Amino acid sequence: KSIDPWWKRSVVYQIYPRSFMDSNGDGIGDLQGIISKLDYLQKLGIDVIWLSPIYDSPNDDNGYDIRNYQAIMKEFGTMADFEQLIKEAKHRNIRIVMDLVVNHTSDEHAWFVESRSSINSAYRDYYIWRTGNEHNPPNNWGSVFSGSAWEKDENTNAYYLHLFSKKQPDLNWEHEPLRNEIYDTMTFWLDKGIGGFRMDVINFISKDLQFPNGAIPPNQKYGDGSPFYMNGPRIHTYLREMNERVLRHYDVLTVGEMPGATTEDAQIYTNPENQEVNMVFTFEHMNLDSGPFEKWDVRPLVLKELKRNFEKWQNKLHRVGWNSLYWNNHDQPRIVSRFGDDQMYREESAKMLAICLHMLQGTPYIYQGEELGMTNVQFDAIDDYRDIETLNMYKEKRELGIPHEKIMASIYAKGRDNARTPMQWTADGGFTDGVPWIRMNPNTYGINAEEAIADRSSIFYTYQKLIRLRKELDIITYGNFQLLLPDHPYLFVYKRQTKEEEWLVVANFSKQMEQITCEECNVPHWKGNLIIANYDTLKIEKEIINLRPYEAFVLAY
Ligand code: TEU
Ligand code: CA
């Protein structure tokens, strides 16, 4: 067990720097702001900070459009600020993981400016250029951010591929000089002492070079290219080359963001013998309340599907690879509003969701504000929104004649700005002395770090305890997983087992009372050792426990 890598016991805290803490009153979060909050994060007990991109960027997609990989975004500060952050974090035994965005760059990156200048440019093949014809792009793929995935460049009368915004041209990983530039950039940051990389849509970097058309879903205009750019033909070759050239020379954490990766894919990606990445972010559990065609088609979560999905990922990767565990990030709505209850039972359901996730096998990720039970937001005016995905979708659907209210309902449920309203530090906000780049959620009173720290029964202290338990007790990291009551519509019940002991985890995902017996849970009695719970005591009557709304607990036998 001692030879197991450090990141199997770590808990990662994701910071979206733009919205975390503003130190100079310009309304934009920055590196000095993060430094000023390291004591707060040390108190929480986290081991790693994953920073969303802090590189120079025009911020078309808030930093996921990089203009210079080796410079700090001016709004966030300077390279000296970054080096101070690394040092201050190290003093607190906190590693800094950077966001590696190498499926695409900004269209303002020097490479792209060169590449588009001439078909004979030395940088032409750093990107993916194809000739369509006068009126039709090379194929029918749609961009994730609406419209075609191809943009016509009149200067050289060719189209370039952009799976995301037109200001995010896809890099051509077939081209070895480009790959070498990426490896140099990774080495530049690793030599500054960072603790690893989160890799943005890294399973998109190998495309089917025939670029075949995708199937066009009903009432959509563009084809779905994802079968031809997700988990492509050379993805394992590229990841193994990246590992051989760079990663294996450092003791670092790597997590690949992999939309569309299955457990079979993840068994290859995360098997340490393959030397690709340590773990991946799966999207399967984040797609259970949307579809069938797109994320904006909102449908209610069926808990059984969530339970089966976690069971699959826990068991398929147990002793084969490794899981990441997350409910939230900067692209997802906030979990207490999504799978909990952000009105009547906000604190109970936020704690229940934390207990349910953190008792699983894998490395947990906490997104800024999740530890406070921060909620989704509802702005009346589309002009209050900032996210390019939301703004492009709104425009596209309004042009299709879809009513404002209908579109806003989807944005309220699934919009990425739900996660991007500024971190709530005090009752009156505490994020900035200026005008924030995006409006704060109005519910800062009662939902903020200052009040949470002062209240021993707050969600913050549930997270603090879960983080500590993972450090102290092996069963969380190494025990196997067994799902119980798979068909119960409201209860998520599972066991973690080692040779020496077994833990029972019970979580009520509903606002109604539920009953549960020892026999159903396959335990001899309810007198096990109570590890953690979100209510003060368990309501035990001989064989039965009466579960209150969103009640969760863990018993050890
Ligand atoms: O997101 C990858 C991705 O697939 C997202 O489009 C996600 O599925 C979608 O936003 C859900 O609404 C990564 C980054 O996390 C995201 O912030 C970037 O916008 C995107 O890549 C492009 O870099
Ligand atoms: Ca600032």
Side-chain angles (χ1 to χ4, degrees):
K1 299 231 170 46
S2 60
I3 51 134
D4 249 352
W6 54 270
W7 38 264
K8 285 197 170 180
R9 285 235 198 214
S10 295
V11 175
V12 183
Y13 189 91
Q14 182 194 356
I15 288 178
Y16 194 70
R18 197 172 187 83
S19 304
F20 189 65
M21 181 63 203
D22 171 25
S23 70
N24 63 352
D26 65 357
I28 300 171
D30 47 53
L31 297 180
Q32 283 300 333
I34 296 171
I35 291 169
S36 74
K37 296 298 180 183
L38 286 175
D39 288 340
Y40 166 80
L41 295 174
Q42 186 177 24
K43 183 179 182 67
L44 181 58
I46 53 97
D47 310 278
V48 182
I49 294 170
W50 152 30
L51 294 176
S52 274
I54 60 171
Y55 319 95
D56 172 47
S57 166
N59 287 302
D60 187 57
D61 186 18
N62 286 354
Y64 285 91
D65 49 319
I66 295 171
R67 181 168 47 199
N68 181 341
Y69 282 103
Q70 300 187 12
I72 300 294
M73 188 190 303
K74 64 182 185 311
E75 295 89 329
F76 289 167
T78 64
M79 189 60 85
D81 293 328
F82 175 75
E83 284 158 0
Q84 184 190 349
L85 171 59
I86 291 278
K87 195 160 63 65
E88 298 277 359
K90 210 178 192 82
H91 286 158
R92 297 167 175 83
N93 291 321
I94 295 175
R95 292 175 165 93
I96 301 290
V97 161
M98 301 274 272
D99 207 318
L100 187 72
V101 186
V102 292
N103 174 71
H104 48 272
T105 68
S106 166
D107 66 341
E108 297 180 27
H109 194 294
W111 298 339
F112 190 71
V113 173
E114 277 297 314
S115 180
R116 77 185 315 168
S117 69
S118 151
I119 56 173
N120 301 318
S121 159
Y123 291 85
R124 188 67 175 180
D125 287 339
Y126 275 41
Y127 295 87
I128 298 170
W129 296 96
R130 292 292 185 279
T131 53
N133 62 35
E134 202 42 47
H135 305 293
N136 294 311
N139 68 22
N140 68 0
W141 296 2
S143 154
V144 177
F145 294 161
S146 304
S148 168
W150 298 89
E151 180 72 7
K152 180 76 176 286
D153 187 69
E154 297 307 334
N155 186 37
T156 58
N157 195 30
Y159 290 80
Y160 65 85
L161 177 68
H162 60 88
L163 296 179
F164 294 95
S165 88
K166 67 176 91 171
K167 283 181 69 60
Q168 292 172 292
D170 278 57
L171 286 166
N172 173 19
W173 271 74
E174 295 298 313
H175 191 53
E176 188 173 9
L178 179 269
R179 300 204 301 272
N180 292 337
E181 298 253 23
I182 299 299
Y183 304 151
D184 290 349
T185 277
M186 292 175 72
T187 302
F188 172 84
W189 290 106
L190 287 164
D191 287 347
K192 284 186 176 294
I194 67 170
F197 290 108
R198 177 266 189 184
M199 302 182 184
D200 190 62
V201 287
I202 196 66
N203 65 322
F204 288 14
I205 61 176
S206 167
K207 278 86 171 170
D208 176 336
L209 299 179
Q210 304 307 314
F211 291 97
N213 277 333
I216 302 182
N219 69 41
Q220 306 247 344
K221 203 172 149 201
Y222 296 98
D224 172 12
S226 64
F228 309 111
Y229 62 73
M230 286 180 175
N231 310 305
R234 287 167 41 93
I235 182 61
H236 299 291
T237 306
Y238 296 150
L239 288 175
R240 289 174 195 184
E241 182 183 74
M242 178 190 281
N243 197 295
E244 196 272 325
R245 292 280 302 277
V246 183
L247 292 167
R248 82 180 52 162
H249 307 297
Y250 302 85
D251 177 17
V252 290
L253 177 156
T254 54
V255 51
E257 186 208 24
M258 301 210 179
T262 64
T263 41
E264 284 61 40
D265 296 318
Q267 286 177 329
I268 302 168
Y269 288 128
T270 67
N271 181 335
E273 285 159 27
N274 296 334
Q275 297 194 307
E276 296 190 10
V277 291
N278 302 144
M279 62 192 101
V280 304
F281 288 136
T282 168
F283 281 67
E284 289 187 354
H285 66 310
M286 294 276 98
N287 291 333
L288 294 174
D289 59 348
S290 58
F293 303 117
E294 58 174 8
K295 72 178 248 186
W296 305 108
D297 303 330
V298 186
R299 64 188 166 97
L301 173 74
V302 175
L303 182 66
K304 278 185 248 184
E305 291 176 16
L306 185 73
K307 301 195 290 188
R308 286 293 187 200
N309 192 263
F310 273 122
E311 178 189 41
K312 181 178 70 167
W313 280 86
Q314 287 287 297
N315 290 332
K316 292 264 187 176
L317 294 188
H318 185 57
R319 294 211 183 96
V320 171
W322 193 250
N323 273 291
S324 73
L325 305 168
Y326 77 96
W327 289 130
N328 290 289
N329 61 41
H330 62 293
D331 294 330
Q332 297 297 334
R334 291 210 174 251
I335 199 66
V336 71
S337 302
R338 184 179 194 176
F339 292 169
D341 172 336
D342 63 8
Q343 301 300 318
M344 177 100 76
Y345 298 102
R346 186 182 63 84
E347 294 208 86
E348 294 83 349
S349 64
K351 291 176 185 175
M352 178 277 289
L353 288 158
I355 291 168
C356 179
L357 187 75
H358 281 249
M359 286 293 120
L360 293 168
Q361 182 173 55
T363 298
Y365 290 72
I366 301 170
Y367 179 66
Q368 67 184 49
E370 174 182 339
E371 78 279 13
L372 305 178
M374 278 178 65
T375 71
N376 282 353
V377 72
Q378 295 192 2
F379 297 139
D380 297 333
I382 189 64
D383 296 349
D384 283 329
Y385 285 88
R386 295 287 178 272
D387 173 22
I388 185 165
E389 180 190 49
T390 290
L391 297 173
N392 285 4
M393 177 279 281
Y394 181 85
K395 182 169 172 290
E396 182 184 59
K397 289 192 186 303
R398 286 297 293 135
E399 282 164 3
L400 290 171
I402 296 172
H404 168 83
E405 291 69 21
K406 188 168 183 324
I407 306 171
M408 296 314 284
S410 291
I411 293 170
Y412 294 161
K414 287 301 182 68
R416 302 194 301 180
D417 283 332
N418 279 309
R420 301 175 182 188
T421 59
M423 182 73 174
Q424 298 171 194
W425 294 107
T426 62
D428 58 10
F431 163 72
T432 179
D433 299 334
V435 177
W437 69 278
I438 184 172
R439 284 177 54 201
M440 296 214 67
N441 192 318
N443 65 8
T444 54
Y445 188 84
I447 303 178
N448 62 75
E450 190 173 57
E451 290 184 54
I453 298 279
D455 169 9
R456 292 298 308 181
S457 70
S458 68
I459 303 160
F460 177 94
Y461 288 108
T462 296
Y463 272 90
Q464 186 192 59
K465 181 166 184 180
L466 288 167
I467 294 165
R468 198 175 59 241
L469 284 170
R470 180 172 292 273
K471 281 218 185 357
E472 290 163 358
L473 304 169
D474 284 354
I475 187 170
I476 302 173
T477 303
Y478 299 104
N480 68 18
F481 172 93
Q482 184 196 0
L483 181 64
L484 299 170
L485 288 78
D487 295 327
H488 197 293
Y490 304 115
L491 301 185
F492 189 162
V493 183
Y494 64 85
K495 278 187 173 175
R496 298 295 308 278
Q497 292 153 323
T498 61
K499 286 191 297 302
E500 300 78 33
E501 60 178 329
E502 72 172 27
W503 285 16
L504 173 72
V505 181
V506 175
N508 180 6
F509 269 72
S510 80
K511 64 172 62 169
Q512 60 249 21
M513 299 284 284
E514 292 295 332
Q515 287 196 335
I516 194 166
T517 67
C518 305
E519 190 188 355
E520 281 173 314
C521 293
N522 198 1
V523 291
H525 47 71
W526 289 123
K527 291 196 289 296
N529 170 24
L530 183 64
I531 298 291
I532 189 167
N534 64 349
Y535 282 80
D536 292 342
T537 57
L538 301 185
K539 291 183 74 164
I540 300 175
E541 288 165 30
K542 289 199 287 298
E543 284 281 297
I544 290 172
I545 285 192
N546 290 300
L547 290 167
R548 285 153 288 192
Y550 297 104
E551 180 156 6
F553 63 85
V554 179
L555 285 174
Y557 291 88

